[in-house]
């Protein structure tokens, strides 16, 4: 979602990584773990460290 009033492209809200861990677990390589998680209007983003 584009917010033209403040110039941001995505409005992200931090969420608990445990809330999305089941969804992203199949995408992780062995030893990689969630570092943090963010939600948008429809989806979530989960940066990892490995």
């Amino acid at each position: 979602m584009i917010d033209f009033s403040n110039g941001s492209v995505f409005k992200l809200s931090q969420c608990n990584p445990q809330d999305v861990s089941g969804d992203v677990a199949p995408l992780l390589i062995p030893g990689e773990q969630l570092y943090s998680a963010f939600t948008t209007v429809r989806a979530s983003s989960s940066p990892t460290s490995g």
Side-chain angles (χ1 to χ4, degrees):
M1 174 164 77
I2 300 174
D3 185 347
F4 292 102
S5 63
N6 70 10
S8 69
V9 177
F10 299 103
K11 290 186 179 182
L12 298 176
S13 300
Q14 193 164 12
C15 68
N16 186 340
Q18 297 301 324
D19 293 343
V20 296
S21 63
D23 295 330
V24 296
L27 304 172
L28 302 179
I29 59 172
E32 191 174 28
Q33 57 186 345
L34 290 178
Y35 178 72
S36 59
F38 299 86
T39 58
T40 63
V41 173
R42 295 186 189 174
S44 63
S45 172
S46 303
T48 62
S49 63

